[in-house]
Amino acid sequence: MKDRRSFILNSLCAASGMILSTFGKNTWAQNNVVRFGITSQRPATITKERWTEIGSYLSSNMNCKVEIVPIPIAHVYQHIAENSVDFVLANPNETMLLKYKQHAKILASLNGQHGPLFGGVIVVRKGGEIKKIEDLNQKAVVALGQQSAGGYLFQVHLMAEKSLYPHRQYGVVMADTQDEALHILKSGKVSAAFIRSGVLESMTIEGKIQPDEYAVLAERKDTTFPLQHSTELYPEHYVLALPHVSKELEGNFKNALLKLSPSDVAAQKANIKGFIEPLSIASLENVMKPLKVAPFDQQNQASKKQTASTILLD
């Protein structure tokens, strides 16, 4: 069985010099494709449409089929545990967990349309009673949870600077997507939403929200970063190779990513400039370590499950 699997891998990828490890379970042996997981903070259909051309670009450059797999943020670690993807485009928090807990290797940083940095946004209903961060004391917010950097951690870090802590000074309702978070905010069930920079602009262009519906708390102005944001700017998503992937495949995949040009159709469709050598993770560690979130927490597994659950203020 092992000889047959090795024959298939060598035959399919000989032109690229790519050979996956023949040890253990891996997706290539099962599907004869390289699966590139894209963590999805928007509905999966939108993620698939945005990134499919990247899959085609990689397939062409690597002479192998590369399939795009949208992964809801809440299910990232399930996919990793099942080895259902070979590479993953992960947000900063997921990157830390995959690097330190799963021994995944960071290959590249995403260079978005507005550069390789992004921030978190605290959104409120325009014309409402919430005018500043301190007004959220004893209120409830909607967020994507600890697995989301731009949709939770960055904002929690900012609010902690005002001595406001989740589940103590304010309650948190969890949403599955950033679209859902804004809908929950609009319904009046919460006082604010934590979303990543760029979502307000994208949903406005898509006609899903009106520009006069929402306001941004503690908005920062940056001439090099035009998107609305409340927090400091941090490194964008990273591309990681999972441990079962061979060194040869890692190298070929990374080279193909770094060759992507802003003028390529795939980059334009994904609304990115391309990929660059990995940025330092130091600023992300500075956010996550004081908050004691995984992988920098000392809690037991039971406590982690409790923290991940939906908690409302009485």
Side-chain angles (χ1 to χ4, degrees), residues 1 7 29 60 79 95 123 135 141 188 210 235 244 259-260 284 300:
M1 181 64 181
F7 173 76
S60 176
H79 281 261
T95 294
V123 185
D135 293 337
V141 306
Q210 298 301 315
H244 67 262
K259 284 171 55 180
L260 181 67
L284 301 172
N300 59 33

Side-chain angles (χ1 to χ4, degrees), residues 201-210:
E201 291 84 353
S202 294
M203 291 185 68
T204 299
I205 292 172
E206 293 164 5
K208 293 184 176 180
I209 62 173
Q210 298 301 315

Side-chain angles (χ1 to χ4, degrees), residues 1-294:
M1 181 64 181
K2 183 186 294 184
D3 290 341
R4 174 174 171 76
R5 179 166 62 183
S6 297
F7 173 76
I8 291 173
L9 300 183
N10 281 287
S11 297
L12 289 171
C13 283
S16 298
M18 297 183 301
I19 305 173
L20 273 173
S21 170
T22 58
F23 298 97
K25 174 184 175 185
N26 63 62
T27 59
W28 181 270
Q30 295 171 356
N31 304 307
N32 297 340
V33 297
V34 172
R35 305 193 80 195
F36 186 15
I38 307 293
T39 55
S40 176
Q41 298 181 336
R42 304 290 308 278
T45 53
I46 293 178
T47 301
K48 188 82 171 181
E49 179 181 0
R50 177 182 176 186
W51 292 94
T52 293
E53 286 295 330
I54 293 291
S56 298
Y57 161 84
L58 291 170
S59 297
S60 176
N61 277 266
M62 298 172 64
N63 297 320
C64 288
K65 173 66 175 177
V66 178
E67 179 184 349
I68 297 298
V69 182
I71 303 177
I73 275 189
H75 300 151
V76 171
Y77 309 113
Q78 175 185 340
H79 281 261
I80 301 307
E82 295 174 351
N83 276 357
S84 61
V85 294
D86 305 299
F87 299 91
V88 62
L89 179 67
N91 76 20
N93 187 37
E94 296 158 351
T95 294
M96 294 297 190
L97 281 166
L98 294 175
K99 172 179 170 60
Y100 287 108
K101 297 292 189 181
Q102 301 296 330
H103 307 293
K105 182 177 180 180
I106 298 176
L107 301 183
S109 283
L110 175 68
N111 190 12
Q113 192 62 40
H114 300 287
L117 304 175
F118 79 121
V121 190
I122 302 177
V123 185
V124 297
R125 293 182 296 277
K126 184 170 286 189
E129 63 178 354
I130 308 299
K131 306 296 184 184
K132 58 186 184 298
I133 289 177
E134 291 83 353
D135 293 337
L136 291 174
N137 188 27
Q138 300 304 305
K139 303 294 184 180
V141 306
V142 60
L144 271 66
Q146 287 191 7
Q147 71 275 16
S148 175
Y152 184 79
L153 290 181
F154 295 165
Q155 294 89 336
V156 170
H157 178 70
L158 175 63
M159 293 184 67
E161 294 177 347
K162 305 287 186 180
S163 297
L164 297 174
Y165 299 94
H167 317 310
R168 282 188 272 172
Q169 281 74 37
Y170 61 96
V172 182
V173 175
M174 300 304 179
D176 289 330
T177 67
Q178 311 225 28
D179 300 54
E180 182 186 4
L182 284 180
H183 290 317
I184 292 174
L185 173 61
K186 185 176 181 179
S187 73
K189 296 178 181 178
V190 297
S191 297
F194 293 171
I195 62 174
R196 66 158 285 156
S197 58
V199 172
L200 281 177
E201 291 84 353
S202 294
M203 291 185 68
T204 299
I205 292 172
E206 293 164 5
K208 293 184 176 180
I209 62 173
Q210 298 301 315
D212 60 351
E213 288 183 285
Y214 302 103
V216 174
L217 290 188
E219 183 174 3
R220 300 179 185 227
K221 299 295 184 181
D222 189 329
T223 56
T224 64
F225 189 80
L227 301 178
Q228 291 182 289
H229 59 291
S230 305
T231 72
E232 295 181 21
L233 299 178
Y234 300 91
E236 259 280 10
H237 287 45
Y238 292 86
V239 177
L240 299 96
L242 299 187
H244 67 262
V245 175
S246 73
K247 297 295 184 183
E248 291 85 358
L249 181 55
E250 280 181 11
N252 281 277
F253 197 85
K254 176 174 180 173
N255 288 339
L257 289 175
L258 296 182
K259 284 171 55 180
L260 181 67
S261 166
S263 61
D264 288 331
V265 172
Q268 294 176 0
K269 182 68 175 180
N271 197 32
I272 63 174
K273 292 179 180 177
F275 297 89
I276 59 176
E277 290 288 344
L279 298 180
S280 169
I281 59 176
S283 64
L284 301 172
E285 291 180 336
N286 291 338
V287 168
M288 298 173 69
K289 286 181 178 179
L291 296 177
K292 297 181 180 180
V293 296

Side-chain angles (χ1 to χ4, degrees), residues 295-306:
F296 306 111
D297 60 331
Q298 299 299 319
Q299 299 173 340
N300 59 33
Q301 292 300 315
S303 296
K304 290 179 182 179
K305 291 180 180 179
Q306 171 66 17

